[in-house]
Amino acid sequence: MLTLLKLLKDGRFHSGQALGAALGVSRSAVWKQLQHLEAELGLSIHKVRGRGYQLAAPLTLLDPAEISARAPSCEWPILVFNSIDSTNAEALRAIERGQSAPFLVLAERQTAGRGRRGRKWVSPFAENIYYSLVLRIDGGMRQLEGLSLVVGLAVMQALRGLGISGVGLKWPNDVLVGQQKIAGILLELVGDPADVCHVVIGVGINVNMQMTDEVDQQWTSMRLESGKAVDRNHLVAELGLMLQTYLNRHQAGGFPAIQAEWEQNHLWQGRAVSLIAGVSQIDGEVLGIDVQGALRLKVNGVEKVFSGGELSLRLRDDS
Ligand code: ATP
């Protein structure tokens, strides 16, 4: 099926006969494979009598060789899947199998892409990036402090590096343009943080997605922001380089070395917000973050500090 996709990816018309000859199968076998492509990958294929078959839009597939050529300092192996439940889930399985870190898992699509607390991350085929970088951490609780905020900065800078303006951060780790979500981050940890552990840095970035009914909050994509199709291989390379830069800074100076830059890019500094933790809600004003990346809120005139993976911020209507 993938060979067929590679033949079609130029977005031109290809006759059933030519496709059959290239694949060494009959025209009816080509027809079946085309139906699979549509059904399984959600692709739209034009069928025109006398001309043949054409993808509704040309595709660029993920290419580890091109990514490595653009980011030679990122020496981790790259595993690319056409379709996987979730790149984070696959990364966790690979750790279990003994794959040595660092390594990167990418997928053209996720069938069960996930956000925090089991929420779904919408992941159509070949439109966005679904990225899980696995690192091994040896006895360094300090290396974990504020890590998801550090990743947010790296993602933001990668997007800016590819010409997207107006990108900023929302505590703890959302990447937004204005109020619209352009990327999500999910860190998962296995092992003993005080001894040896692995961290899976999961990042989903909306790249060329222009339409979906599935996302239930405001969202945008690089293409919607810039009006241009974005080369996903270039973005993966840029993200790797940015992660390297920020993770090195974090390792050398801890989160305090990053705190000021993070606050400068926090879209909700000084805003009136509600902090949601399960069913409870705390209203306050965002003061910033502390040296560990915890949220500082002014609540009834008093500064309070909050941290933890279960917390979500919402703007208050009167903000
Ligand atoms: P927070 O709790 O920090 O406010 P959140 O509600 O945005 O975060 P996350 O776990 O970060 O939750 O992401 C999952 C949510 O993101 C989903 O519930 C959905 O609303 C939204 N979402 C899912 N897929 C996408 C996507 N491709 N682009 C933008 N948003 C998405």
Side-chain angles (χ1 to χ4, degrees):
M1 196 162 78
L2 202 69
T3 321
L4 175 59
L5 192 57
K6 284 188 176 147
L7 293 168
L8 288 172
K9 76 183 170 70
D10 58 10
R12 299 194 178 161
F13 272 105
H14 296 263
S15 71
Q17 196 174 14
L19 292 172
L23 295 170
V25 299
S26 66
R27 283 169 68 170
S28 67
V30 169
W31 172 251
K32 274 200 192 123
Q33 285 198 33
L34 286 164
Q35 285 182 314
H36 267 288
L37 282 181
E38 288 195 298
E40 284 187 23
L41 304 181
L43 290 172
S44 156
I45 298 168
H46 298 153
K47 305 163 188 84
V48 178
R49 190 181 287 273
R51 296 190 74 188
Y53 307 103
Q54 178 196 41
L55 275 182
L59 274 184
T60 309
L61 296 173
L62 294 168
D63 179 352
E66 196 191 325
I67 295 166
S68 301
R70 282 182 176 272
S73 61
C74 299
E75 285 171 336
W76 43 70
I78 305 173
L79 316 173
V80 180
F81 293 83
N82 292 313
S83 180
I84 197 93
D85 50 353
S86 128
T87 55
N88 265 29
E90 176 56 29
L92 291 168
R93 289 191 292 264
I95 296 167
E96 190 93 340
R97 289 195 298 267
Q99 167 103 28
S100 73
F103 64 92
L104 173 62
V105 180
L106 296 174
E108 294 288 6
R109 77 158 181 167
Q110 299 183 111
T111 54
R114 54 197 201 209
R116 298 197 301 155
R117 277 159 287 165
R119 282 178 296 206
K120 179 178 168 176
W121 189 258
V122 173
S123 311
F125 184 82
E127 293 188 7
N128 301 326
I129 69 169
Y130 318 113
Y131 179 110
S132 296
L133 178 65
V134 179
L135 304 175
R136 182 188 145 119
I137 312 245
D138 285 275
M141 293 285 268
R142 195 159 160 267
Q143 291 177 60
L144 296 170
E145 216 160 67
L147 187 58
S148 67
L149 282 76
V150 175
V151 172
L153 260 183
V155 171
M156 183 197 82
Q157 295 295 17
L159 295 177
R160 287 190 187 162
L162 267 78
I164 308 300
S165 51
V167 199
L169 303 166
K170 176 194 135 193
W171 189 90
N173 58 7
D174 275 351
V175 183
L176 308 176
V177 178
Q179 301 264 27
Q180 300 165 308
K181 192 151 162 162
I182 193 164
I185 293 162
L186 178 68
L187 261 55
E188 295 185 83
L189 207 70
V190 276
D192 178 359
D195 186 16
V196 176
C197 70
H198 285 90
V199 62
V200 179
I201 297 176
V203 179
I205 303 179
N206 294 336
V207 187
N208 292 318
M209 184 162 82
Q210 297 188 86
M211 240 175 42
T212 174
D213 301 330
E214 288 185 78
V215 179
D216 56 4
Q217 60 173 290
Q218 291 187 64
W219 66 275
T220 187
S221 69
M222 296 175 76
R223 183 165 190 168
L224 289 173
E225 292 304 311
S226 67
K228 290 187 297 215
V230 174
D231 177 342
R232 291 178 306 141
N233 291 310
H234 187 180
L235 176 63
V236 171
E238 188 68 18
L239 178 58
L241 295 170
M242 283 300 171
L243 281 169
Q244 252 181 351
T245 305
Y246 278 91
L247 292 170
N248 287 341
R249 267 179 60 193
H250 184 227
Q251 193 166 19
F255 191 74
I258 315 269
Q259 180 193 7
E261 186 183 342
W262 198 94
E263 277 188 342
Q264 279 153 20
N265 289 287
H266 193 203
L267 293 167
W268 291 10
Q269 279 300 106
R271 302 292 298 266
V273 296
S274 298
L275 182 67
I276 317 285
V279 288
S280 59
Q281 173 176 335
I282 296 157
D283 291 344
E285 183 193 319
V286 178
L287 297 173
I289 53 171
D290 73 4
V291 286
Q292 293 167 329
L295 180 73
R296 293 164 47 233
L297 274 190
K298 187 154 99 186
V299 181
N300 298 325
V302 179
E303 179 174 332
K304 298 212 165 150
V305 175
F306 300 90
S307 63
E310 299 299 306
L311 303 173
S312 292
L313 272 190
R314 298 285 175 263
L315 278 181
R316 281 219 311 273
D317 293 343
D318 53 342
S319 172

